[in-house]
Amino acid sequence: SGPAADSGAAYIFARNGATWAQQASVNPSNTGAGDRFGSAVAISGDTAVIGAPYEASGAAVVNGNQADNSATRAGAAYVFTRTAGTWQQQAYLKASN
């Protein structure tokens, strides 16, 4: 089966001279239907923060319970870092309220 509907994804491209190439496709650790992961992105060097405005976890701490889907459309952000060309999730961010 494929990804959940409207779960989202983010694609990272790198430039080498005048040529752009896809370096990675990243997904959050708790992909869910309708989360819209990738709706907002900030990137600096080897760090990317990617938003999922409709993610539904009721967690209220960094790296909290991602399986708790008690807060419809609460939103979340995910921090990914690049090491030796490989992007991996480092943190799952939720607001305290």
Side-chain angles (χ1 to χ4, degrees):
S1 77
D6 291 327
S7 59
Y11 301 89
I12 299 172
F13 290 79
R15 184 175 70 181
N16 184 359
T19 304
W20 286 89
Q22 183 177 323
Q23 187 175 67
S25 170
V26 297
N27 292 290
S29 51
N30 65 333
T31 300
D35 286 355
R36 297 188 181 173
F37 174 79
S39 293
V41 175
I43 190 166
S44 179
D46 293 329
T47 303
V49 179
I50 304 170
Y54 297 145
E55 189 273 344
S57 171
V61 296
V62 173
N63 294 326
N65 181 359
Q66 298 176 33
D68 169 7
N69 286 320
S70 65
T72 303
R73 295 186 172 186
Y78 302 80
V79 178
F80 288 81
T81 59
R82 175 177 56 189
T83 303
T86 301
W87 289 88
Q88 292 187 323
Q89 184 176 317
Q90 298 300 313
Y92 166 67
L93 308 177
K94 294 291 287 189
S96 61
N97 59 351

